[in-house]
Amino acid sequence: MLLLPRHAVLSAPALSPSSPSTSRFRPLPCTTAPTSASAAASADDTATDAPSSLSVEEYLVTRCNLYPNVAARVAPELSAVKSASKPDAVLAFLASELELSPPLIAVAVARDPAVLTCSVPRTLAPRAAELRALGFTTFQMGLLVARCGAAVFRSRELVAMVQFWLPYLRGRVDKLVAALKGNPGLLTADLGTVRSTIAVLKEEGTLTDDEVGWFAVSYCSKLLVASPEEVDAVLARADDFGVPRRTRAFKDAIVAAFSATPERLAWKAAFFRDELGWTEAQVKTAAAKMPTLLTVSAARIRRNWEFLTKEVGMDAERVASFPALLRYDLEGRLVPRFQVMRALQARRLWRGRDFNNIAAITEEDFVAKFVRPFLVKVPNLAKIYAAAVAKKEASS
């Protein structure tokens, strides 16, 4: 049976946690050897860090806005802190330089209490300067801390990871920051493993750099930071679609194999056979031509199928040969173009019957080939098309 699970593999959400992985990320200590430029700042720190009777737990509650139970849990990690001067400087930096709100500062401290022991002039401020040089705004640096944690921000590996991803995103810092919302692991994964994974995907799926960038900002981003074993399992599942490796179509097979569980794919294949009446061969044909078809919702497939068979007059064999028809927007694409085709056929201005070609071309090409050339003979053709599109927009 098509696409029955033959290879064990984690489903997409399980490949990487939604929060930064502590097993993959080793934050550096917050102390570094002072340079000549920071010697004065270091001396000031030493002068102001005189012993005092600081209650760390009380400080976390009153100054960092942590809940008492959270403060009690993280306070032991700050047992060496005897003065409030350095934590005060860190809080001021987070609030003024990164523009983090008090609730976000509380989250940052709760996730990485050691950030309060960092030196602002030797660690945090230089990191902010490095990110600004790469194109980050203050707001974007704040989002990075909110989404990835302060431990990531203060890590020496951060700049190298950012420099690695930006070329795939055409230098767009905003795209990288947006991608971190769904997968902060992009900045915490092992860089060597990520390089190896991307090399495999480029070779087997013929991915371009732009497509790697698309993976990074899409729901497939977790595949880029998965372990080699998980990547191999996804590729093995992609083979089940019958698409040869190292072809352009295999990229879609990778996306489909990663996006849905084996059970979901098997259910969708059964949906085509049992509800739509397709043969096994027709399901295989459609899956090989467009693997991602098996990730489309059953509701959309059902509605498009009914339109194509009842209104357009296509049969299963024809639709299986052009599976993209089941993915297109029904009201916004298929219906308006079909109405134009019928208007032209009624006046014997177009004798073609291949609706797939009409549905597949771009909007610009469709208007240029099927609307503008016939406006003299069919003055209301533009209105027919515009009315159909407007109906879709009104209902959405």
Side-chain angles (χ1 to χ4, degrees):
M1 184 178 295
L2 177 68
L3 298 178
L4 287 177
R6 297 192 291 111
H7 308 278
V9 63
L10 293 173
S11 60
L15 288 180
S16 176
S18 58
S19 58
S21 171
T22 55
S23 62
R24 289 181 175 177
F25 179 70
R26 298 188 300 274
L28 294 173
C30 286
T31 57
T32 58
T35 63
S36 57
S38 62
S42 179
D44 289 342
D45 288 347
T46 303
T48 56
D49 283 348
S52 66
S53 57
L54 175 69
S55 170
V56 173
E57 193 169 327
E58 181 181 353
Y59 183 89
L60 292 172
V61 174
T62 59
R63 295 285 287 111
C64 302
N65 298 308
L66 267 62
Y67 288 112
N69 60 324
V70 177
R73 175 171 56 83
V74 303
E77 299 183 43
L78 301 172
S79 58
V81 176
K82 304 302 180 183
S83 169
S85 59
K86 185 173 287 186
D88 282 347
V90 171
L91 294 180
F93 174 86
L94 296 177
S96 61
E97 298 300 318
L98 300 188
E99 298 181 355
L100 290 179
S101 64
L104 289 180
I105 291 177
V107 171
V109 172
R111 292 171 67 180
D112 179 34
V115 71
L116 295 177
T117 69
C118 285
S119 168
V120 171
R122 292 199 301 267
T123 302
L124 300 182
R127 189 73 68 248
E130 290 173 324
L131 291 178
R132 285 195 180 94
L134 292 173
F136 278 75
T137 65
T138 299
F139 178 70
Q140 288 169 335
M141 287 190 288
L143 285 178
L144 188 152
V145 173
R147 293 171 179 177
C148 300
V152 174
F153 181 84
R154 62 185 175 85
S155 166
R156 285 196 186 126
E157 287 82 9
L158 173 62
V159 172
M161 292 300 293
V162 170
Q163 290 174 327
F164 173 78
W165 287 116
L166 284 182
Y168 291 113
L169 301 171
R170 297 190 175 186
R172 294 276 301 275
V173 172
D174 58 325
K175 283 193 172 184
L176 176 59
V177 174
L180 297 177
K181 183 177 182 179
N183 184 15
L186 290 172
L187 295 183
T188 62
D190 177 72
L191 186 55
T193 301
V194 174
R195 291 183 189 274
S196 176
T197 295
I198 291 178
V200 170
L201 293 176
K202 281 187 169 184
E203 180 179 3
E204 301 295 344
T206 66
L207 267 67
T208 64
D209 284 354
D210 283 347
E211 288 168 336
V212 172
W214 178 86
F215 268 59
V217 301
S218 73
Y219 51 85
C220 293
S221 66
K222 291 183 176 63
L223 179 60
L224 298 178
V225 298
S227 68
E229 295 76 17
E230 292 166 337
V231 174
D232 289 340
V234 170
L235 293 177
R237 280 177 54 196
D239 288 330
D240 290 344
F241 288 92
V243 180
R245 290 195 181 194
R246 302 185 182 183
T247 61
R248 297 297 298 156
F250 193 67
K251 180 199 72 171
D252 290 336
I254 294 174
V255 172
F258 178 76
S259 303
T261 64
E263 294 76 16
R264 180 68 179 176
L265 294 174
W267 176 87
K268 189 60 67 64
F271 167 81
F272 279 95
R273 293 190 302 268
D274 300 339
E275 185 163 337
L276 304 188
W278 288 26
T279 65
E280 183 73 18
Q282 289 166 346
V283 177
K284 289 181 178 180
T285 296
K289 286 180 176 289
M290 180 173 282
T292 52
L293 175 66
L294 296 184
T295 65
V296 178
S297 70
R300 165 164 287 199
I301 291 174
R302 187 182 295 111
R303 293 176 66 235
N304 284 22
W305 168 252
E306 291 177 356
F307 172 77
L308 292 170
T309 54
K310 295 179 180 179
E311 297 295 331
V312 182
M314 302 179 73
D315 57 17
E317 192 69 29
R318 189 65 175 167
V319 175
S321 298
F322 300 100
L325 292 169
L326 295 174
R327 292 202 62 173
Y328 292 146
D329 184 354
L330 179 60
E331 290 84 3
R333 186 173 189 144
L334 297 183
V335 172
R337 297 188 183 193
F338 180 66
Q339 290 184 359
V340 169
M341 186 187 79
R342 284 201 308 182
L344 295 177
Q345 288 176 333
R347 292 163 178 79
R348 298 184 180 181
L349 296 175
W350 187 71
R351 299 181 183 277
R353 295 185 176 181
D354 195 349
F355 180 66
N356 173 70
N357 289 339
I358 293 180
I361 61 178
T362 65
E363 177 76 8
E364 182 179 355
D365 287 343
F366 174 77
V367 173
K369 293 180 180 180
F370 294 97
V371 178
R372 292 196 188 114
F374 303 102
L375 289 178
V376 175
K377 294 183 178 180
V378 190
N380 66 334
L381 188 60
K383 291 183 179 180
I384 292 175
Y385 183 61
V389 174
K391 184 177 181 181
K392 155 66 179 177
E393 294 175 349
S395 60
S396 60

